[in-house]
Amino acid sequence: TGYDLAFLNQAMFFDRDSEVLEEALTEVASWNVKCAVALAGPGLLHAEALRQRGFVSGGGSPLMAYALDQSHSSFPLRPGLRAERTTSSYNLETNIELIVKTFGMADETARGLVISTIADPETYRYILFEGDTPVSTSAFIASGEFVGCFDVATPLEQQRKGYGEELMKFMIQEQEKLKRKLIVLQATSAGEVLYRRVGFQVIEYCV
């Protein structure tokens, strides 16, 4: 993304070939921003090589996927909830506030993140409301038949009320209507429980 947050500038390696790693790290270095490197599958063999270069392990996290099915039954939001799509002129500030509250991110960084993705018509960023109160947000970014899930953000005071699960199911259903095939995400340890409940499965563990 070019923003000064490592997790927003990430390269993931599944290849065990050291030449592939060297070529990719040269590309990563050319970004000239903070970056993260994730290893999975055969790529885990590069862990020591990265440590020797000064990379620090952030621990493991699951790479999860959800196979979409257009025959999925409809999922109505529970009474009192509604989901609204964020655009550059609608709900933008509310979305930024939710991300700042949840992740403790600087307003400027959250603003840059949201604005940079919202301009893409294949970004589906929604806010879930309980009455008039915004309670959760997330972004699905599509590329052809595939979708990446990002920024699942529910502020602490709104957690443990089922909001994240409601929003995820709603957004999954929206992507099913668009005939996508697969949604992928990299979960935190806390988020993994939510995603498993929704129906995501772990396909790899990344470090």
Side-chain angles (χ1 to χ4, degrees), residues 62 157 173 179:
E157 66 270 20
Q173 182 175 266
K179 304 190 185 305

Side-chain angles (χ1 to χ4, degrees), residues 12-26:
M12 183 172 287
F13 297 98
F14 293 89
D15 198 307
R16 66 187 300 157
D17 190 329
S18 58
E19 291 184 7
V20 171
L21 178 70
E22 292 300 322
E23 182 180 335
L25 288 178
T26 300

